[in-house]
Amino acid sequence: MKAAIIVFPGSNRDRDMKMALTKASGGKPPLEVWHGDADFPKVDLIVLPGGFSYGDYLRCGAMAAHSPVMREVKARADKGTRVLAVCNGFQIACEAGLLPGVLMSNAGLQFICREITMRVETSDSIFTGKYRKGQCIRVPVAHHDGNYNADADTVKRLEDEDRVAFRYANLFGDVSPETNLNGSVGNIAGVFNKGKTVLGLMPHPENATDPVCGGTDGVGLFAGLAEALQ
């Protein structure tokens, strides 16, 4: 698997993502592409990492969505190149039109940084194929603007087309207002584009790939990508 991580001013999980991808690829590190570059080598996977691109000024992800490199990212995504967008990357992907919806301020208007449980809603994608539908995994979150929202028609389309990837839940897989840490519509933690070639999610699977860091529930996502894109 040949991957590229897009690095923006303010990215802070790019190194974490690099470690997870390197491990999944058998020691082959991904490319690191600066946001100002208009082109980069052909890859199988593009990653928009977490952080605070452009200091979250104007609106989270809004400025990064117009970085020179994003024109190329969108062009490749349109041709089927897989894109993984995590946390701030999810915000950027939505602002750039790669994914539907928007990420707003958390319902409690506070920054949330802790380990959470999310339920896998579908195993029918290369991102989630190593998990079982209904499986609950533990991964960290770290965001202030993770409240996923979309109009009713868009949410229905996501549900009908099996494009909800993850939901915030408890350890038993129960989804309720109590498990909805940020106010996201339908407890949604991650969504796909129409072809399931782009995945955006707020939690950080890259920070759950080493037992030294507290857990390995994120390994399945990267292992599935490495196997499918080898």
Side-chain angles (χ1 to χ4, degrees):
M1 175 177 69
K2 190 173 183 181
I5 301 171
I6 309 301
V7 183
F8 300 91
S11 294
N12 66 8
R13 298 299 179 99
D14 46 314
R15 293 184 180 182
D16 305 51
M17 186 63 71
K18 181 178 180 179
M19 290 176 63
L21 289 169
T22 300
K23 186 183 297 184
S25 299
K28 183 179 180 179
L31 300 173
E32 294 174 86
V33 180
W34 184 237
H35 77 113
D37 295 339
D39 194 17
F40 54 95
K42 183 179 179 181
V43 295
D44 307 304
L45 173 71
I46 298 171
V47 181
L48 305 178
F52 302 91
S53 58
Y54 292 90
D56 281 349
Y57 290 115
L58 182 62
R59 187 174 60 247
C60 293
M63 294 178 70
H66 295 281
S67 288
V69 76
M70 287 304 296
R71 289 191 292 272
E72 184 65 17
V73 171
K74 288 190 284 185
R76 296 193 189 191
D78 287 343
K79 294 178 181 178
T81 299
R82 271 59 172 189
V83 178
L84 173 62
V86 178
C87 198
N88 184 227
F90 189 11
Q91 296 163 344
I92 295 168
C94 287
E95 291 287 343
L98 289 169
L99 291 167
V102 65
L103 281 307
M104 306 190 304
S105 296
N106 297 340
L109 301 181
Q110 292 183 327
F111 186 85
I112 302 170
C113 184
R114 60 182 173 88
E115 191 177 72
I116 59 94
T117 302
M118 62 180 184
R119 189 178 73 191
V120 179
E121 295 299 286
T122 179
S123 59
D124 185 23
S125 80
I126 69 167
F127 298 96
T128 58
K130 288 290 185 180
Y131 299 112
R132 302 183 313 276
K133 180 177 180 178
Q135 181 177 349
C136 293
I137 60 177
R138 296 284 289 173
V139 292
V141 296
H143 60 252
H144 182 278
D145 294 69
N147 180 353
Y148 180 76
N149 226 293
D151 62 78
D153 288 342
T154 298
V155 173
K156 184 178 186 304
R157 187 163 58 251
L158 290 171
E159 300 280 7
D160 292 346
E161 296 176 357
D162 194 36
R163 290 167 54 195
V164 176
F166 304 101
R167 294 187 202 274
Y168 300 111
N170 63 20
L171 288 170
F172 303 102
D174 300 321
V175 171
S176 68
E178 289 70 33
T179 66
N180 193 342
L181 70 156
N182 54 29
S184 293
V185 60
N187 282 54
I188 292 174
V191 299
F192 297 106
N193 69 337
K194 189 171 180 61
K196 290 188 178 178
T197 57
V198 178
L199 168 64
L201 70 161
M202 285 310 297
H204 288 274
E206 74 276 17
N207 292 134
T209 59
D210 192 320
V212 173
C213 296
T216 58
D217 283 2
V219 168
L221 188 148
F222 297 99
L225 285 169
E227 182 177 303
L229 300 175
Q230 62 183 347

